[in-house]
Amino acid sequence: MWLSNSSVGRKVVMSVTGIALILFLTFHMAMNLVALVSAEGYNMVCEFLGANWYAVAGTLALAALFIIHIIYAFWLTMQNRRARGTERYAVTEKPKTVEWASQNMLVLGLIVIVGLGLHLVHFWSKMMLPELAGCDDMGVMMYAANGIYHIENTFGNIVNVVLYLVWLGALWFHLTHGFWSAMQTLGWNNKVWLNRWQCISNIYSTIVVLCFALVVVVFYIKSLI
């Protein structure tokens, strides 16, 4: 199959799954910003999502997209290393046009994966998982639906704050390169549009990461007051 047998096909899969994950990040960012405006509003959003069929379907789709993205990322990385052979061990000066992020996408991706695991432990396992497990304890279910409590509890810990900020830093580098690179793969590769997409990806990545970081920092400051 073309999408798996050719290098271009694999890059297309990486690009499409990456863009889909970027769209989810945008939604998640908007959802998190609600917590800064209204605790009740954020809890209402959490309760609305919960473990309803559409939330479960969305979670499964996201998990599939993420797994495919990871598999193809490793696949392409190994393919590129095999293609370079022993040349990768040679000490050469990197072209100025080559971004640092593009040279370290695998490492950045691994940090993002670790951060995602941390996020799942702090939030998903305490909010959606009890519902999926069929828990009928009212106290547990009220605890699961209290999203604002989980944010306060997580970001009231300085260790978690530092870990999340490191994660977000890696995510920023990953997005700034991945966004425009995906557009280039999908055909927006002329000089004019490539420059535009690089600018857009930098602006978008900065806005998204800063909004996520804002939630982390604001709730940590609140815990100190």
Side-chain angles (χ1 to χ4, degrees), residues 47-138:
E47 186 176 357
F48 173 73
L49 292 175
N52 296 301
W53 69 268
Y54 42 81
V56 174
T59 300
L60 291 175
L62 280 170
L65 287 169
F66 194 76
I67 291 171
I68 292 171
H69 193 75
I70 293 171
I71 290 173
Y72 273 74
F74 276 100
W75 196 349
L76 283 168
T77 299
M78 295 303 104
Q79 173 188 301
N80 292 337
R81 288 191 174 185
R82 283 197 300 269
R84 290 198 303 269
T86 57
E87 289 182 8
R88 68 178 184 270
Y89 297 108
V91 179
T92 57
E93 184 179 353
K94 295 178 182 177
K96 292 181 180 179
T97 54
V98 177
E99 294 180 332
W100 178 86
S102 69
Q103 296 292 318
N104 296 276
M105 286 296 278
L106 183 61
V107 175
L108 292 169
L110 290 173
I111 295 174
V112 171
I113 292 172
V114 173
L116 177 63
L118 190 68
H119 188 63
L120 292 175
V121 169
H122 286 151
F123 294 97
W124 184 82
S125 68
K126 297 175 181 177
M127 298 174 72
M128 182 180 281
L129 186 58
E131 291 190 57
L132 292 176
C135 179
D136 55 4
D137 186 313
M138 186 58 65

Side-chain angles (χ1 to χ4, degrees), residues 154-180:
T154 300
F155 300 136
N157 185 324
I158 186 59
V159 174
N160 290 335
V161 170
V162 172
L163 289 174
Y164 271 82
L165 291 178
V166 170
W167 176 34
L168 291 172
L171 182 62
W172 183 84
F173 280 109
H174 196 78
L175 288 176
T176 53
H177 175 75
F179 195 151
W180 70 260

